[in-house]
Amino acid sequence: MRELYFKRARQFFFATLGFVSLVFFACLPLYPYFKLPLHPNLVLGMLAFNLFLGVIFISLALFLRKRLFPIKVEEPYWSQRATARYFWLYFLVGIPFAFSFFAFIVFASLALLIEGYLLTVSGLILLRPREEDLI
C-alpha cells in the first residue's frame, strides 16, 4: 500500500511540474506578439518582488514540510492527509510563477516569466516526495 501511494505521489509531483512547464512553454511563442517597451525600473521592480515572493514562499513551504511530514501510515485517512499536504505545499511554491504569469499577460515581460518558472521549478524539486515522508 505504501509503495503504491509513493508511486502516485511521484506522479502527482510530475503532473504539477509538467503543468507549470506546459504553461511556460505555451507562453514563449506568444512573446513576440505581445511584447511592450517597458521601463527598466518597472522590470527590475517586478523581478525583485518576484524574487522576494519566491524566497518567502519557498522557505515557508520548506518550513511547513518539516512540520507536516512524516505521516504515520497507521492513522486513518493517511493518504488523503498526505495528498492534501503535498497539494498545499505545491500551491505555495507555485505562487511566484502565478505572479509572473499574470504579469506576463499584462506586461509581457519574458525575464519575469523565466524567473518565476525557475523559482517554482526549483521549489518543486526541493519538495519532491520522499520515502521518509511516510512512516
Side-chain angles (χ1 to χ4, degrees):
M1 181 69 92
R2 185 177 166 178
E3 294 81 24
L4 178 64
Y5 178 78
F6 185 69
K7 179 181 174 184
R8 298 290 186 242
R10 282 191 328 209
Q11 288 174 348
F12 180 54
F13 165 73
F14 286 119
T16 306
L17 189 64
F19 173 73
V20 170
S21 298
L22 181 70
V23 171
F24 173 72
F25 288 116
C27 289
L28 290 180
L30 299 175
Y31 176 69
Y33 299 108
F34 298 109
K35 65 180 177 179
L36 296 170
L38 297 174
H39 195 274
N41 289 341
L42 176 68
V43 175
L44 287 176
M46 287 191 306
L47 286 172
F49 181 71
N50 199 23
L51 184 62
F52 176 73
L53 282 177
V55 168
I56 293 298
F57 284 111
I58 291 173
S59 60
L60 177 65
L62 290 173
F63 173 75
L64 288 175
R65 181 191 178 108
K66 289 182 182 179
R67 294 282 188 186
L68 298 175
F69 288 102
I71 293 178
K72 295 179 182 175
V73 179
E74 295 84 26
E75 294 178 9
Y77 306 112
W78 63 269
S79 62
Q80 293 173 351
R81 186 174 295 127
T83 303
R85 289 177 181 179
Y86 281 130
F87 172 79
W88 288 112
L89 291 176
Y90 294 165
F91 175 79
L92 284 175
V93 169
I95 289 176
F97 182 70
F99 170 75
S100 67
F101 175 71
F102 290 124
F104 179 78
I105 290 173
V106 175
F107 299 111
S109 174
L110 187 62
L112 184 63
L113 186 70
I114 291 171
E115 181 191 37
Y117 175 73
L118 292 176
L119 284 171
T120 297
V121 167
S122 62
L124 283 173
I125 289 172
L126 289 173
L127 290 173
R128 69 186 179 276
R130 295 187 182 104
E131 296 261 349
E132 41 295 337
D133 290 344
L134 303 174
I135 56 172

